[in-house]
Amino acid sequence: MDTNKKIKQKYERLGENPETYLQGLLHAKPITYWDYVEVDTLLSLQRPRTDFKDESIFIMYHQVTELFLKMMHHEIEQIVEMEVVTEDFLMTKINRLNRYTGMLITSFDIMKEGMDFEDYNTFRTTLTPASGFQSAQFRYIELYCTRLKNLVGNNGNKELSGQPAPEAYFEDIYWKDAGVNRKTGKKTLTMQQFEEKYLDDLIALAKKIEGNTIEDKVLCMPDLSDGLKEKLREFDRLYNVEWPLVHLRTAEHYLERKGKRKAATGGSKWKKYLHPKHQRRKFFPSLWTDREKQNWGSE
């Protein structure tokens, strides 16, 4: 069948007049790279708050990171939304996730080596109380990947029992350690802002995908091949160990130089929040031995 007939049938199936669409095509301008990719808009999204040149690098790097996270989010949603996941499909998606996470890890040198030390430590004070902790995409990815109980901090594990509602898990979720005093319950402004904007959406997502996370789907695949197990373990290790450690070393570079410790812009206890040996976050705990879990995050 020739192309003209296929076009005609396409629009007739939609109940539309094919001639109208073809006439419109006569007047449509050819697409360009800069319009398709929205280059002008993309390059206009950097708005530094100071005159330090490297602040633009800082902004662009975090924007690139958010785009990588969106690519991961895009792949993960497809896994979760598929009713029956095959091993080949999951292998393809996990390979992509490993590739994106690897790029996040290797690109972090831009943060460590790509900015002037003194300039960064000056302009960063203007960013208070904003913090990378407030990246909601990071939280969405966690919820899609694993069951809520795997995201509860060490304190919460002792308190939750039975079948808690999602809201209860969020009271003790590990990232609260970045902005909540566990003894007094007092929250930093950074945490207050984040929860005001995103907490309801995060809880709604957790309810929507309950029992249907990637971990749930993996647990329902009885004949998981060794190859897929290793790829899932690789994703877990890259995302929950190696990437946080790279972030931690960069923070140490800027915040602990010459024996002096500076506070994070969001006021968090950043070492406890970043180092995987403290939070022990794992997406697929059933794929790790007891010894590996005990040594999680050890360098």
Side-chain angles (χ1 to χ4, degrees), residues 98 101-108 138 230 233-250 274-277 281 288 296-299:
N98 288 343
T101 311
M103 293 174 79
L104 284 170
I105 293 168
T106 56
S107 69
F108 223 92
F138 196 91
E230 193 52 43
R233 282 164 54 92
E234 181 182 357
F235 177 44
D236 221 349
R237 176 178 53 79
L238 289 174
Y239 197 84
N240 292 318
V241 176
E242 294 197 20
W243 191 28
L245 284 176
V246 169
H247 193 163
L248 176 68
R249 294 182 192 116
T250 301
L274 287 174
H275 205 302
K277 74 179 181 181
R281 183 180 69 243
W288 300 95
W296 193 256
S298 297
E299 297 181 71

Side-chain angles (χ1 to χ4, degrees), residues 276-289:
K277 74 179 181 181
H278 295 303
Q279 301 300 343
R280 300 179 182 272
R281 183 180 69 243
K282 291 173 284 293
F283 291 158
F284 314 112
S286 65
L287 300 182
W288 300 95
T289 66

Side-chain angles (χ1 to χ4, degrees), residues 37-227:
V37 181
E38 296 280 4
V39 172
D40 292 340
T41 300
L42 188 63
L43 300 183
S44 70
L45 295 177
Q46 296 76 48
R47 301 183 182 90
R49 304 189 71 195
T50 72
D51 291 328
F52 292 104
K53 299 301 181 185
D54 283 349
E55 188 184 353
S56 292
I57 298 296
F58 182 83
I59 295 170
M60 284 186 279
Y61 178 72
H62 283 82
Q63 289 174 339
V64 168
T65 297
E66 290 294 335
L67 288 174
F68 272 125
L69 291 174
K70 186 171 183 178
M71 292 163 74
M72 297 178 74
H73 192 169
H74 177 70
E75 302 291 352
I76 287 168
E77 275 188 318
Q78 293 174 61
I79 300 171
V80 170
E81 290 171 358
M82 181 167 281
E83 190 171 339
V84 179
V85 175
T86 65
E87 178 155 323
D88 286 345
F89 179 82
L90 188 54
M91 179 72 85
T92 297
K93 296 302 183 185
I94 297 299
N95 276 331
R96 292 184 184 183
L97 292 170
N98 288 343
R99 188 176 304 119
Y100 300 147
T101 311
M103 293 174 79
L104 284 170
I105 293 168
T106 56
S107 69
F108 223 92
D109 279 349
I110 294 171
M111 282 286 290
K112 187 175 180 181
E113 309 294 343
M115 296 186 297
D116 180 85
F117 179 87
E118 298 298 339
D119 286 358
Y120 170 73
N121 271 305
T122 303
F123 75 68
R124 65 182 288 274
T125 61
T126 70
L127 310 181
T128 306
S131 168
F133 157 81
Q134 293 174 317
S135 171
Q137 287 199 100
F138 196 91
R139 310 297 161 212
Y140 288 126
I141 287 171
E142 291 174 340
L143 294 178
Y144 275 114
C145 284
T146 196
R147 292 176 291 176
L148 274 173
K149 71 176 187 177
N150 297 327
L151 300 176
V152 172
N154 293 328
N155 293 332
N157 276 327
K158 299 175 183 178
E159 298 170 9
L160 291 172
S161 60
Q163 295 182 324
E167 290 87 347
Y169 282 112
F170 276 91
E171 287 298 317
D172 289 295
I173 204 159
Y174 84 93
W175 43 258
K176 288 287 187 78
D177 285 334
V180 178
N181 185 315
R182 292 291 190 180
K183 293 182 179 179
T184 66
K186 185 176 180 180
K187 300 177 182 179
T188 62
L189 179 58
T190 303
M191 179 64 72
Q192 293 175 44
Q193 291 174 328
F194 178 76
E195 290 190 337
E196 183 179 342
K197 183 170 178 62
Y198 292 115
L199 186 57
D200 288 346
D201 288 342
L202 290 168
I203 293 174
L205 175 63
K207 291 179 176 179
K208 178 182 177 182
I209 63 174
E210 189 172 11
N212 202 34
T213 66
I214 296 178
E215 183 197 14
D216 288 309
K217 291 182 180 296
V218 168
L219 291 171
C220 290
M221 298 172 73
D223 299 319
L224 215 61
S225 71
D226 290 340

Side-chain angles (χ1 to χ4, degrees), residues 246-265:
V246 169
H247 193 163
L248 176 68
R249 294 182 192 116
T250 301
E252 288 173 339
H253 171 74
Y254 286 108
L255 303 182
E256 285 195 334
R257 194 168 180 176
K258 299 177 181 178
K260 296 181 180 180
R261 179 177 292 186
K262 299 182 179 69
T265 52

